[in-house]
Amino acid sequence: MTLDPGSPPAGRARLADVAALAGVSVGTASKTLSGGGRMRPETRQRVLDAVAALGFRPNQQAQSLHTGRRWTVGLVTTDGIGRFSTPVLLGAEDALGAGKISVFLCDTRGDAIREQHHLRNLLDRRVDGIIVTGRRTDARAPLTGVTGLESTPVVYALSPSTDPADTSVVSDDRGGARLAMEHLLATGRTRIAHVTGPEHHAAARDRARHAVEHLEAAELGLSTGRVHFGEWSEVWGRRAADAVLRTAPDTDAFFCGNDQIARGVADTLRERGVDVPGEIAVVGYDNWDTMALASRPPLTTIDMNLAEIGRIAALRLLEAIDAEATPGMHTVPCRLVVREST
């Protein structure tokens, strides 16, 4: 039976209808909705698209009795502001929601006691699994201290676990720095400065290290001879731009550790009457619309694919719930977003 996606069957859609529309077996469709089975991501996505197209609603009570699952997942964030964790959580929720799984969102605000409280509540609700994320890419200690955690699948997103036996999904900062440097070199820039955040932040250290490595591979070095560590702020970007141009006035590009810094750099260059990108190009990191699009000129930047990190984390969690965990570090590629600053 072949179904027209624009003409769902009369009455309530059946699992067989979903399978037919997705071009898979009923068993594969069932495993997708239960979070089980190993299959190609595109196959899983076809089933989820068919579910959406047909408005299919599985009988969750019957499924719970059959599998012992609650069809609920906890999302725990340490990021009260939500700048980074919100896109991750939305990506995860989209993937889980497509399979009709309910989500409990818990904000620990970076407080260990509050985290323990939320974990106890989630385990009391007998959630099938937990996704943990945060505001930074620094590794964090794994969840501990609550009875029941040892038998509950956990996946870490953006902020990886320090335990290599855990499943963590992170952004590929190495690839992101490479994309930025390759783009600047391709536009003819050879005197590149790097301005970034605090050195004790993994994101600042990693992006700086990979940027320098890529320049060295091209037999080049930073225009000032060093990385400029500071703050994740526009104020720091403005100050750093002044310092760079005093030290190396022939600098022809800035690669910045985030978009806030890059916008501050662009402000200083504009105030100095420097043509961006004619004389000096500027590349940011994060693709934060509030900064990147409001900058003058709008910023070329690296997108960390935060929503995709959340989506992949959700898929890894569904596999773990089905006893098919894939421990270790899973990286999600970044992408270059080119705008007027280069």
Side-chain angles (χ1 to χ4, degrees):
M1 175 176 63
T2 301
L3 296 182
D4 178 358
S7 304
R12 179 167 177 163
R14 300 166 302 160
L15 184 60
D17 300 325
V18 171
L21 182 56
V24 300
S25 68
V26 172
T28 296
S30 177
K31 288 179 180 178
T32 298
L33 295 180
S34 67
R38 288 188 178 276
M39 66 190 72
R40 294 154 64 118
E42 54 266 32
T43 301
R44 187 184 298 275
Q45 192 59 52
R46 283 208 316 275
V47 174
L48 297 179
D49 289 343
V51 167
L54 297 174
F56 176 72
R57 299 182 62 187
N59 186 330
Q60 304 245 334
Q61 184 176 9
Q63 288 179 317
S64 295
L65 289 173
H66 178 65
T67 65
R69 295 181 185 170
R70 290 288 185 171
W71 304 99
T72 56
V73 164
L75 296 178
V76 177
T77 175
T78 61
D79 181 8
I81 299 173
R83 161 65 191 95
F84 294 100
S85 64
T86 295
V88 172
L89 295 174
L90 289 176
E93 190 173 33
D94 285 347
L96 295 169
K100 307 304 180 184
I101 296 175
S102 298
V103 178
F104 295 114
L105 174 60
C106 303
D107 176 15
T108 71
R109 305 178 194 175
D111 181 82
I113 295 176
R114 186 182 293 269
E115 179 174 274
Q116 294 286 298
H117 168 73
H118 283 309
L119 289 175
R120 282 192 293 271
N121 282 341
L122 290 174
L123 294 175
D124 285 345
R125 292 175 179 268
R126 295 174 58 195
V127 295
D128 296 313
I130 298 172
I131 295 176
V132 183
T133 189
R135 69 167 68 99
R136 289 164 56 174
T137 62
D138 297 78
R140 57 153 292 156
L143 299 181
T144 58
V146 179
T147 302
L149 264 177
E150 64 282 352
S151 59
T152 303
V154 179
V155 172
Y156 299 82
L158 186 63
S159 303
S161 169
T162 54
D163 187 346
D166 289 332
T167 301
S168 299
V169 182
V170 299
S171 180
D172 181 11
D173 271 343
R174 184 190 193 95
R178 176 183 55 79
L179 287 172
M181 302 310 285
E182 284 182 347
H183 176 67
L184 288 173
L185 293 173
T187 61
R189 316 293 170 159
T190 59
R191 297 282 295 164
I192 302 170
H194 185 47
V195 180
T196 191
E199 190 170 6
H200 64 274
H201 282 206
R205 293 194 310 274
D206 292 345
R207 293 166 195 173
R209 182 176 74 257
H210 298 316
V212 170
E213 287 173 354
H214 197 76
L215 277 178
E216 290 176 346
E219 299 185 345
L220 295 170
L222 294 171
S223 66
T224 61
R226 69 181 183 90
V227 175
H228 295 262
F229 290 104
E231 304 168 354
W232 300 116
S233 70
E234 294 171 75
V235 172
W236 165 238
R238 290 193 287 271
R239 293 204 317 265
D242 280 330
V244 167
L245 295 179
R246 281 197 305 271
T247 304
D250 57 346
T251 295
D252 59 13
F254 282 82
F255 170 38
C256 302
N258 78 348
D259 291 336
Q260 288 173 276
I261 295 171
R263 184 173 174 180
V265 167
D267 286 347
T268 290
L269 295 178
R270 186 175 65 253
E271 290 166 4
R272 284 172 167 254
V274 175
D275 178 19
V276 177
E279 297 175 70
I280 298 179
V282 180
V283 174
Y285 209 105
D286 294 340
N287 195 29
W288 184 12
D289 286 355
T290 301
M291 289 291 156
L293 297 179
S295 178
R296 290 296 175 265
L299 295 171
T300 291
T301 185
I302 302 298
D303 192 311
M304 298 170 65
N305 277 334
L306 295 173
E308 181 67 3
I309 290 173
R311 190 184 76 84
I312 296 298
L315 295 180
R316 296 293 82 81
L317 183 65
L318 291 174
E319 291 172 354
I321 291 171
D322 200 49
E324 297 181 358
T326 51
M329 197 81 72
H330 304 263
T331 58
V332 174
C334 298
R335 63 187 181 93
L336 175 71
V337 180
V338 179
R339 299 192 181 96
E340 289 88 330
S341 69
T342 59

